[in-house]
Amino acid sequence: AANFLLGLRAFADDPVVLFATSDLPFIDAAAIDEVASRGVAGAGLCYPYFSKDEVRAVFPHEANSYLKLRDGDITGSSVFLLGPHHVLPREAEIRAFFEARKNIPRLVGMLGLDLALRMVLTKKLGLRVLTVAALERRFGKLAGFPVAAVRGCSPRCSLDIDHERDLAEALAHVGQA
């Protein structure tokens, strides 16, 4: 959270900042341009997401985890847009969320019992009780500013290297190229 906020503060006067994690082996300028071009006016966060078919069309060897929604199986981006004037006033909440991300009881308290229960039903039982629109609304309410889920960006924004299996997938993709 500290590094994220430090970087965002450096661009506090800009209307929009593009954020990208540093572990995206296949990111390219075209993928960055796609995210940058899909900003939604007034949103504090524009977060691209991808269907399983979209990702598999580019990365057939990937084994991403997908959230099973009524809208289909989706995964998120490691590149997104932020409005510093929306996000920086919520610094305390952002720090709390980062700190709670591995603490299930605290996350339940932050997300609300209803959403937490739906997430458990979705992740553990595979029940499709959530939609992208419902998540967009809930996270917007939680964040305190508008959140926009964005389609149409390159899946190159989704394949990151967090684990050894991710590296193996990336190497398999390079072997296929």
Side-chain angles (χ1 to χ4, degrees):
N3 286 338
F4 167 79
L5 291 165
L6 184 65
L8 197 55
R9 269 191 233 107
F11 297 95
D13 295 332
D14 291 352
V16 178
V17 173
L18 186 135
F19 179 88
T21 62
S22 61
D23 59 350
L24 298 165
F26 300 110
I27 197 71
D28 60 17
I32 295 292
D33 288 345
E34 286 175 352
V35 174
S37 71
R38 284 182 171 70
V40 175
L45 168 65
C46 295
Y47 186 74
Y49 70 98
F50 314 94
S51 72
K52 188 179 212 175
D53 290 339
E54 289 170 325
V55 175
R56 291 272 169 91
V58 177
F59 301 112
H61 298 288
E62 69 78 36
N64 231 339
S65 57
Y66 290 88
L67 189 57
K68 295 179 181 311
L69 303 180
R70 278 193 220 146
D71 313 86
D73 297 355
I74 67 161
T75 192
S77 180
S78 293
V79 181
F80 47 91
L81 300 172
L82 297 166
H85 62 284
H86 287 290
V87 178
L88 288 173
R90 309 286 299 192
E91 184 173 329
E93 292 89 342
I94 290 167
R95 286 182 186 281
F97 188 78
F98 269 90
E99 290 168 13
R101 72 187 187 281
K102 307 270 183 183
N103 183 321
I104 300 302
R106 281 184 67 193
L107 277 177
V108 169
M110 294 175 95
L111 297 175
L113 186 57
D114 177 59
L115 181 59
L117 181 58
R118 288 174 183 266
M119 293 291 285
V120 167
L121 290 172
T122 297
K123 290 290 261 178
K124 298 296 183 187
L125 301 178
L127 299 178
R128 296 179 183 271
V129 295
L130 286 169
T131 64
V132 170
L135 289 170
E136 193 177 49
R137 284 190 304 273
R138 182 63 183 115
F139 281 101
K141 185 176 180 185
L142 177 66
F145 50 77
V147 170
V150 178
R151 293 295 309 262
C153 297
S154 171
R156 292 177 175 279
C157 297
S158 73
L159 189 73
D160 60 0
I161 308 281
D162 291 329
H163 308 285
E164 282 188 43
R165 80 162 184 194
D166 299 334
L167 179 58
E169 291 167 17
L171 292 172
H173 178 70
V174 171
Q176 292 288 332

